């Protein structure tokens, strides 16, 4: 199994575009944290609380993009409005 790096996950998340802004979640500074352990990836997305519900499809897109990476067994993204 190929080891998954935090930077590789960040690169994949840089391809996920917020339709409201046309910018990637990485460019928007939404990535609060990435944890990788034995093929399982957890992502925290820092979001504006007023956009929380509207950003659910974006959260799902982040999970799907990371799941498509080689060696990823699972990916979970959670949104938080706390920094």
């Amino acid at each position: 199994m190929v080891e998954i790096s935090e930077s590789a996950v960040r690169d994949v998340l840089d391809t996920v575009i917020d339709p409201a802004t046309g910018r990637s979640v990485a460019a928007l500074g939404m990535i609060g944290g990435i944890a990788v352990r034995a093929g399982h990836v957890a992502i925290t997305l820092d979001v504006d609380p007023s956009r929380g519900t509207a950003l659910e499809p974006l959260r799902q897109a982040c999970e799907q993009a990371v799941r498509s990476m080689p060696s990823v067994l699972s990916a979970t993204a959670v949104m938080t409005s706390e920094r």
Side-chain angles (χ1 to χ4, degrees), residues 8-74:
V9 173
R10 195 171 291 278
D11 289 346
V12 167
L13 291 174
D14 198 34
T15 68
V16 179
I17 305 299
D18 175 6
T21 63
R23 297 175 63 201
S24 75
V25 294
L28 290 168
M30 292 175 72
I31 302 170
I34 298 170
V36 180
R37 185 172 183 190
H40 302 281
V41 181
I43 306 145
T44 303
L45 301 173
D46 295 329
V47 301
D48 180 341
S50 66
R51 292 189 65 211
T53 304
L55 290 174
E56 177 60 19
L58 189 65
R59 183 196 67 77
Q60 292 173 359
C62 289
E63 285 183 349
Q64 185 175 14
V66 173
R67 279 189 197 117
S68 71
M69 295 175 65
S71 299
V72 170
L73 302 174
S74 70

